[in-house]
Amino acid sequence: MTTPHPATPTPAGAPLLEVRHLVTRFPVRGGILNRVVGHVHAVSGVSFSVPRGEVLGVVGESGCGKSTLGKTILRLVEPTSGQVLFDGQDLTTLGHGAMMPIRRRMQMIFQDPYSSLNPRLTIRRMLREVVRFHDIVPAEQTDDYIIDLITRVGLRKDAADKFPHEFSGGQRQRIGIARALAVKPELLIADEPVSALDVSIQAQVLNLLMDLQKDLHLTVLFISHDLKVVEHFCDRVLVMYLGKVVEELPCDNLLDRARHPYTRALLAANPIDDPDERRPISVLKGDVPSPLRPPPGCPFIGRCPVAVDRCRNEMPPLVAAPTVNTLTARPATQSVACWVETPDARPNA
């Protein structure tokens, strides 16, 4: 496969992707005049950064805003406020024309591989459109480049002349990965790329993504609801609940590191790997609050087993503390938004 285009050098120590106080709300309309009667708070003041070459996981239950976060970063959904800086450039200020060269450097792998592929095009035609539009390689090299892409993701050469309905779910996801890689991106946003696949196929696709990330030095934002998958694949993880980040921590030894009650609840709900281990599986009780009317304090208040009175009225800030990633031996940061864990923190303004 042809090597990626050289990227514009990021200043030393600067992140490739930085999100600052990102807010995404969707208007809800009703009544005879179809007026705006409220807003769905999908993403509420999320901030984080991703250094070049890192894999950052984003986890949470369905409806927590993680997929909306990924689409907002790519401007597939327009943000309400906040900033998205890619290689130092604020994407929220760019028009459609200025976004076109940036989109080549940022690509998405969607959850449903079938609905994201055009059923009327063969894989060769689908990839050729992408490659020629962005002028990735000279015209005479396009077919060879497409075959390289297809074989790199683990498919046979003859797959190029087949239609999406002729493939299994795992094969379709490999095609989706090939399409994302066709433009030689620097950032991949993978939106639950294995959740629609059988468990045996999930491992194959995850291993493929891990190999590609290392070989191509990709920066990856990996969205999932499964902490087991994230722990295996990612360097760090953001835990989201009702549109907010409630914890950020390194992915080594999550079970012992987790401090927020919601993160611990997610880990306790995971199936046990060792059949000889006798540990009851915990299931969260209660319902997620409505994103139309989020509570004034901590969003987890209605389901938290350790909540105190302060949690009902004041949203705890995300408080960071230095730590070390035991897998890489590098300095890291762990942040938690919980009044029980950080009772002396200053409340949000």
Side-chain angles (χ1 to χ4, degrees):
M1 186 174 179
T2 311
T3 55
H5 292 312
T8 303
T10 305
L16 177 65
L17 174 68
E18 187 174 4
V19 175
R20 298 177 181 173
H21 311 294
L22 191 65
V23 174
T24 305
R25 296 176 185 150
F26 299 107
V28 177
R29 298 181 179 274
I32 298 175
L33 300 178
N34 198 32
R35 292 175 175 171
V36 175
V37 296
H39 289 86
V40 173
H41 298 252
V43 179
S44 301
V46 170
S47 299
F48 64 89
S49 62
V50 190
R52 190 180 292 275
E54 185 181 67
V55 182
L56 176 66
V58 181
V59 300
E61 294 171 284
S62 296
C64 73
K66 54 188 186 296
S67 292
T68 302
L69 173 65
K71 292 174 182 177
T72 304
I73 290 171
L74 291 179
R75 293 277 303 277
L76 300 177
V77 171
E78 290 297 325
T80 304
S81 63
Q83 293 179 297
V84 177
L85 278 71
F86 179 75
D87 212 358
Q89 188 171 18
D90 186 0
L91 305 186
T92 62
T93 64
L94 302 181
H96 178 73
M99 274 296 299
M100 288 305 296
I102 302 294
R103 291 192 188 282
R104 188 194 65 75
R105 301 172 63 191
M106 308 168 68
Q107 288 293 301
M108 191 164 195
I109 302 170
F110 294 93
Q111 179 177 0
D112 184 354
Y114 190 67
S115 64
S116 62
L117 301 175
N118 190 330
R120 298 184 179 183
L121 298 182
T122 64
I123 308 309
R124 186 189 301 274
R125 285 187 60 194
M126 189 185 308
L127 293 176
R128 182 184 287 130
E129 284 189 357
V130 175
V131 173
R132 296 309 313 138
F133 181 82
H134 290 280
D135 196 23
I136 302 301
V137 295
E140 64 274 12
Q141 298 179 19
T142 300
D143 281 342
D144 289 340
Y145 182 74
I146 288 171
I147 295 301
D148 284 344
L149 278 171
I150 290 172
T151 56
R152 179 140 209 172
V153 298
L155 297 175
R156 293 169 43 170
K157 295 180 180 180
D158 59 2
D161 297 307
K162 294 182 179 180
F163 291 89
H165 73 268
E166 299 181 72
F167 297 95
S168 66
Q171 290 172 326
R172 289 174 193 152
Q173 195 58 285
R174 290 172 186 268
I175 294 166
I177 294 170
R179 183 180 58 183
L181 295 178
V183 294
K184 303 176 182 177
E186 298 164 51
L187 173 69
L188 272 184
I189 297 181
D191 185 10
E192 305 218 34
V194 298
S195 63
L197 307 178
D198 293 339
V199 175
S200 59
I201 306 300
Q202 285 184 11
Q204 296 175 20
V205 175
L206 276 175
N207 288 334
L208 170 65
L209 284 172
M210 291 177 69
D211 291 341
L212 291 170
Q213 189 272 329
K214 292 176 182 176
D215 293 345
L216 302 178
H217 308 290
L218 295 168
T219 305
V220 181
L221 188 69
F222 186 84
I223 299 168
S224 178
H225 63 273
D226 191 337
L227 269 171
K228 283 285 186 183
V229 171
V230 167
E231 187 173 22
H232 176 67
F233 182 57
C234 302
D235 301 307
R236 283 188 301 135
V237 59
L238 299 178
V239 182
M240 289 187 67
Y241 189 83
L242 202 66
K244 297 180 181 291
V245 174
V246 296
E247 188 162 16
E248 176 185 350
L249 65 163
C251 279
D252 60 306
N253 200 12
L254 283 179
L255 195 60
D256 292 335
R257 277 191 185 273
R259 296 172 61 193
H260 197 280
Y262 179 60
T263 311
R264 292 199 293 263
L266 289 179
L267 289 165
N270 275 330
I272 302 167
D273 295 331
D274 187 353
D276 295 326
E277 184 180 350
R278 295 292 182 261
R279 174 173 60 84
I281 295 178
S282 174
V283 179
L284 270 175
K285 297 180 181 179
D287 297 322
V288 180
S290 170
L292 272 169
R293 300 175 187 84
C298 176
F300 193 54
I301 179 66
R303 309 169 77 187
C304 182
V306 298
V308 295
D309 289 341
R310 191 179 188 184
C311 303
R312 300 186 185 280
N313 302 310
E314 298 179 58
M315 176 61 199
L318 198 63
V319 178
T323 184
V324 174
N325 187 318
T326 58
L327 294 178
T328 62
R330 295 176 181 173
T333 300
Q334 179 167 350
S335 304
V336 61
C338 179
W339 286 127
V340 175
E341 289 289 331
T342 58
D344 299 326
R346 292 182 180 180
N348 291 337

